[in-house]
Amino acid sequence: MWCRLRSRPAQAWYSPEVAIAVSAVLIGVDIGTSSTKAVALSPDGDVLGLAAHDTPVDTPHPGWAEQVPEAWLRATLATMRAAVAAAGVAPEAVQAIGLAGQMHGTVAVGSAGVPLRPAVIWADQRSSVQVEHVLTTLGDERLAAWTGNPVATGFMLPTWLWLRDCEPGVVDATRWLLLPKDYVRYRLTGAVGTEPSDAGSTSLFDPLRRLWSAPLLEALELDGGPLPPIYNSCDVAGTLLPEMAKAAGLVPGIPIIFGGSDQAMQALGNGVVAPGVVSSTIGTGGQLFAPTSLPVVDAPRLRMHSYCHVLPGTWHVESAMLSAGLSL
């Protein structure tokens, strides 16, 4: 049995009082679970136009949660076009694009750049056996030392192990394992990569050294070749490809920034960037987010997550639950 949530076309909004004449526009895109959102901003932070497009979640089996990566791309292109139209600015005014996205999910991409199967997203529960295997093989002490984080179903590590156990043909054909926003950015630019704030959500990453965890990969007999190179969140990943620019109603060559995880990016936007301030968000899932000046690991119990923030030399602790807005 499976179901697909109904998708709606991009919807756009803007406020006439802020639709002012601007010579430069920045676009931010959030690849969420239930929808993809885009915002057109002035360099001073004035909101000029907003747009959103629903994205379906498939449940082909009880406890599974999958999305079609191409649906994220279509929604991204549609919302960027709608946000610029809502802002009432010329496409030539767009100077840069940045991305945020849902965390933890896994897109297995083949050598031709095409997803080999639907993406397994954060809400997926199929990999409980693999989670138990990680905990039994590594134990909390080594997991804390190597990744600083708990492991849970829906994260890239247990999903990768599930694919190895249950769909080995997919693993054999995989060239890259990408997080949701990183797949979309790859399609927009042709460049492969990720950044620390989202890489930490995979359970494969060392947030202190800001590298993929080599001892973890060795202990679990995983080849790190499919894991993408890591850049700074603020780095330019590439530029908008001509075919993508045409589909979005934009001009080719616009710089696209690596961006960050949805939680780190909402914190940046809300000014939650230094210790002493905490954010609480209720989206499809719910999170508490607290910045730290040093990595803080909840050892040995690993009840909380310890991730890199999008700002250099900054980290955050995070607690989360799956059944927030998704319960509706």
Side-chain angles (χ1 to χ4, degrees), residues 153-244:
T153 55
F155 287 24
M156 184 179 285
L157 170 57
T159 296
W160 190 4
L161 294 174
W162 182 90
L163 289 171
R164 187 177 71 176
D165 293 341
C166 301
E167 297 182 3
V170 170
V171 172
D172 291 343
T174 294
R175 177 61 190 93
W176 298 111
L177 290 169
L178 300 179
L179 290 148
K181 81 171 193 318
D182 297 331
Y183 171 76
V184 172
R185 192 183 55 251
Y186 161 63
R187 292 295 307 277
L188 294 177
T189 66
V192 173
T194 190
E195 47 71 47
S197 71
D198 221 1
S201 76
T202 63
S203 292
L204 291 158
F205 185 75
D206 183 336
L208 176 61
R209 297 168 182 82
R210 298 187 178 232
L211 297 168
W212 299 116
S213 177
L216 179 143
L217 293 170
E218 181 179 359
L220 295 174
E221 300 180 342
L222 290 169
D223 176 7
L227 298 175
I230 299 165
Y231 301 87
N232 294 318
S233 303
C234 60
D235 286 348
V236 175
T239 58
L240 188 63
L241 295 170
E243 62 269 27
M244 296 295 157

Side-chain angles (χ1 to χ4, degrees), residues 14-222:
Y14 77 103
S15 299
E17 62 270 19
V18 298
I20 56 179
V22 292
S23 59
V25 174
L26 308 175
I27 294 179
V29 181
D30 174 37
I31 296 92
T33 307
S34 58
S35 66
T36 291
K37 287 78 66 179
V39 59
L41 299 168
S42 75
D44 293 329
D46 294 319
V47 176
L48 307 176
L50 299 167
H53 192 296
D54 289 355
T55 47
V57 177
D58 296 338
T59 56
H61 301 284
W64 289 29
E66 299 183 342
Q67 290 188 294
V68 177
E70 194 69 17
W72 297 329
L73 178 65
R74 290 193 299 267
T76 297
L77 297 171
T79 52
M80 288 197 297
R81 177 189 287 272
V84 170
V89 298
E92 290 77 12
V94 177
Q95 300 298 301
I97 299 167
L99 298 179
Q102 55 171 289
M103 301 162 69
H104 312 300
T106 305
V107 186
V109 179
S111 57
V114 178
L116 300 171
R117 68 176 324 284
V120 178
I121 67 169
W122 59 271
D124 192 274
Q125 301 290 301
R126 76 186 69 181
S127 57
S128 58
V129 170
Q130 287 72 29
V131 168
E132 187 60 33
H133 170 68
V134 172
L135 295 175
T136 301
T137 303
L138 302 184
D140 288 341
E141 184 174 342
R142 287 199 290 177
L143 199 59
W146 293 345
T147 72
N149 280 287
V151 62
T153 55
F155 287 24
M156 184 179 285
L157 170 57
T159 296
W160 190 4
L161 294 174
W162 182 90
L163 289 171
R164 187 177 71 176
D165 293 341
C166 301
E167 297 182 3
V170 170
V171 172
D172 291 343
T174 294
R175 177 61 190 93
W176 298 111
L177 290 169
L178 300 179
L179 290 148
K181 81 171 193 318
D182 297 331
Y183 171 76
V184 172
R185 192 183 55 251
Y186 161 63
R187 292 295 307 277
L188 294 177
T189 66
V192 173
T194 190
E195 47 71 47
S197 71
D198 221 1
S201 76
T202 63
S203 292
L204 291 158
F205 185 75
D206 183 336
L208 176 61
R209 297 168 182 82
R210 298 187 178 232
L211 297 168
W212 299 116
S213 177
L216 179 143
L217 293 170
E218 181 179 359
L220 295 174
E221 300 180 342
L222 290 169

